Structures are given as structure tokens and as C-alpha cells.
Amino acid sequence: MRKLPVFRSVGEVFSGVTRHYFQLLVAAWPAAILIAIGVALYVWAYGEAGFGELVVLMQSGASPEEIAAAAEAMDQAAMGPTYIAATVLLLLASAVAAVRWHRFVLIGEHSGMLLRREDFRYIWTFIKVMLLYFLLILFGAFLVIGLQTLSGESMKAGNAGVVGFLEMAAAVLIVVGYLFALGVLLRMMLALPEVSVGGRGKVFSILSASEGNTWRMLGYGLVIALAYGLIALGLALVLSLLAAVLGGGALLTVLIAAAGLGAYFYFLMLQITSLSVAYREIVGLPGGHEGEATVAEPSPGL
């Protein structure tokens, strides 16, 4: 049973993404094309739904109520085939970017086709994972409801001590159960990097292979989220200082937009790379390589 080396893996994820940030962007070039098409379709859908008329209405000094009603009508009118196609393209773009990043980290692939079979298998695997996670949460909810029902029956019987115990048990179950379910979700999501490199992506097989790593995966995810939060806070402070120095203007707007977009992609890369590294450390390297995965140094693709 292989255990995830949490802190060394966290360090590898941040160092890898930081050093290869622009290479990862280039590797996801097919996703950029799909995003551009999707955004263009959104613009077309809202243009046909009356966005221009809404702008004219806003410039005419109409009341907030009239503007809100027009905006709501525009949103409803835009929800047509073009809008749906744009949404599907953006969802596909997310999978395409994730597959390219997984392949970059795990097998060192720097480029690829516009679309791959793995892109669609990635989406299907993600849907399976989320369905299983929903069922797990539903099971936990039934347990809590059962404890609350017992608590109600004990209250009717006048067993105050039992009621207090059951309420405490329900509170503990909610907190611990949610954290446990989140750890299981992260373990199930290891099927995503597997399917990205041509594996079968069987969720139950991944759960079996990652047995004993639930709390490690939870801690791994929380440490990465906390570290990124500190980085984002530092970036926000720097931008605040720049705002104080520049005093506003177009330059500041461009800097804030560029920093926000860059930070957004950095966070996405951290998420994908963290799954890749965890998959390599727990399940093993792709292609049937079952030797000990490196922990102090990144794999050849990272």
C-alpha cells in the first residue's frame, strides 16, 4: 500500500507549476481555441437577445427597475441553442486543458491534437465521480436524519441524556463525515489523471489502489488551498499598493485584469498538477511502471 508524502508532494506541485507555468499554458492551446469559440457564441447569443438595446436603455437614463426587467428578459431570450452550444464548448475546453496538463506532468507530452478520445472519457469519468460523491453525501444525510429521528423519539420518552448524546453524535457525524467524504472524493478524482493518459479510469479500482490515503488526500488538498490563499492574499496586497501609488487609471485596470487572469490559471494548474502528482505517488507511473515514484524530485514531465 503506497502512502502519499503530503508535504513533499505539495512542494513539488508548487515548484512544478511555477517553473513550467508558460509551458503548461502552451500545452493547453486546444482549450484556448475552444474557449475563444465559446465566448464568441455567448456574445452572439446575447447580441441576438438584445444586448445592444439594453445598452441604449441604460444610456437613456431609464429607471433601475426598467433596466433590471430588460436584463432579465435578455437573459431568458439568450438561453437558446447558441447559448447551450457555447456552454458545452466551455465545458469541453475545461476537460481538454485538464487532459493536456495531466499528460504534460505524467508523460512529458508538450503538444497534442485539438481533440483526443481522452477528452470525452475525462468528462464521463468526472460525471461518474460526482454521482458517486452525491450518493456518499446522500448516505451521510440519511444517517444524520436517522440520529435526529432517534433524538426526537428519546425526547418524547423523556430521556434527556440520550437526546444530548444523539445531538452531539449528529454534530460530530456532520463534520467528520463531510471531511471524510471530501477525502474520498479526492481519492476518486485520481481516476481523472489515469484516464487522461489512456487508462480505463475505473473509479472503484482507483479507490482500491488508493486505500489508506483518505486523510492524507484531504490534508494534501487543504494545504495546497491554504498555500494558494496566502499567495493570493500577497498578490492582493501588492495590487493594493500599486493602486495607492498609481491612483487608478487604465494601467492599473490592465494590471489587475492580467494578475487576476494569471492567478486564475495558476490555481487551475495547481489543482490538475496536484491530482497528477498524487496519482503518480499512490497508484504509480503510467504505462505499467510500478517502481517507486520519485518524491524529492519531480517526474520527467514536471
Side-chain angles (χ1 to χ4, degrees):
M1 183 185 299
R2 302 171 69 155
K3 297 289 187 178
L4 176 68
V6 175
F7 292 105
R8 284 180 291 183
S9 296
V10 169
E12 181 180 337
V13 169
F14 276 93
S15 65
V17 171
T18 303
R19 287 185 293 112
H20 297 286
Y21 180 84
F22 293 103
Q23 288 176 282
L24 287 165
L25 281 180
V26 172
W29 66 266
I33 294 175
L34 294 174
I35 290 172
I37 297 173
V39 171
L41 289 176
Y42 273 133
V43 172
W44 176 269
Y46 276 97
E48 290 294 303
F51 181 77
E53 290 80 355
L54 177 63
V55 172
V56 171
L57 183 64
M58 293 171 65
Q59 293 174 342
S60 68
S63 66
E65 291 78 12
E66 291 177 311
I67 294 174
E72 184 178 355
M74 180 191 67
D75 288 335
Q76 293 177 351
M79 300 294 179
T82 303
Y83 184 94
I84 294 173
T87 302
V88 170
L89 275 177
L90 291 181
L91 290 173
L92 179 59
S94 300
V96 166
V99 168
R100 301 310 180 278
W101 290 339
H102 283 308
R103 294 180 70 84
F104 179 88
V105 174
L106 290 171
I107 60 178
E109 183 179 274
H110 291 251
S111 61
M113 299 173 288
L114 178 61
L115 290 176
R116 307 179 58 96
R117 179 183 62 178
E118 290 84 1
D119 300 332
F120 302 98
R121 296 186 68 182
Y122 188 96
I123 294 173
W124 171 236
T125 303
F126 181 78
I127 292 173
K128 289 191 297 183
V129 167
M130 297 313 296
L131 285 174
L132 288 172
Y133 178 64
F134 172 75
L135 291 175
L136 183 60
I137 292 295
L138 192 62
F139 175 73
F142 281 132
L143 288 180
V144 172
I145 292 172
L147 286 175
Q148 291 177 337
T149 302
L150 289 175
S151 176
E153 293 298 325
S154 299
M155 179 69 74
K156 293 178 182 178
N159 298 324
V162 175
V163 171
F165 172 78
L166 291 174
E167 289 179 350
M168 182 182 299
V172 171
L173 179 62
I174 290 172
V175 175
V176 176
Y178 175 75
L179 293 175
F180 179 80
L182 189 56
V184 173
L185 172 63
L186 293 174
R187 282 175 55 202
M188 290 192 293
M189 290 185 74
L190 295 179
L192 299 176
E194 180 177 78
V195 78
S196 297
V197 293
R200 303 182 68 179
K202 290 189 173 182
V203 180
F204 288 108
S205 296
I206 286 293
L207 283 174
S208 176
S210 62
E211 185 179 357
N213 283 277
T214 299
W215 298 109
R216 286 174 178 263
M217 285 296 293
L218 176 64
Y220 179 59
L222 291 178
V223 170
I224 289 176
L226 177 61
Y228 176 78
L230 293 175
I231 293 173
L233 179 60
L235 178 61
L237 291 175
V238 170
L239 291 175
S240 298
L241 291 175
L242 283 176
V245 172
L246 298 176
L251 177 59
L252 178 63
T253 302
V254 171
L255 287 175
I256 291 176
L261 185 61
Y264 172 73
F265 279 114
Y266 188 77
F267 180 63
L268 291 181
M269 292 173 187
L270 286 177
Q271 290 179 307
I272 299 303
T273 303
S274 66
L275 289 176
S276 295
V277 170
Y279 171 76
R280 189 200 68 209
E281 296 298 336
I282 297 172
V283 181
L285 295 172
H289 300 288
E290 296 298 336
E292 285 298 316
T294 57
V295 291
E297 296 292 334
S299 62
L302 190 65

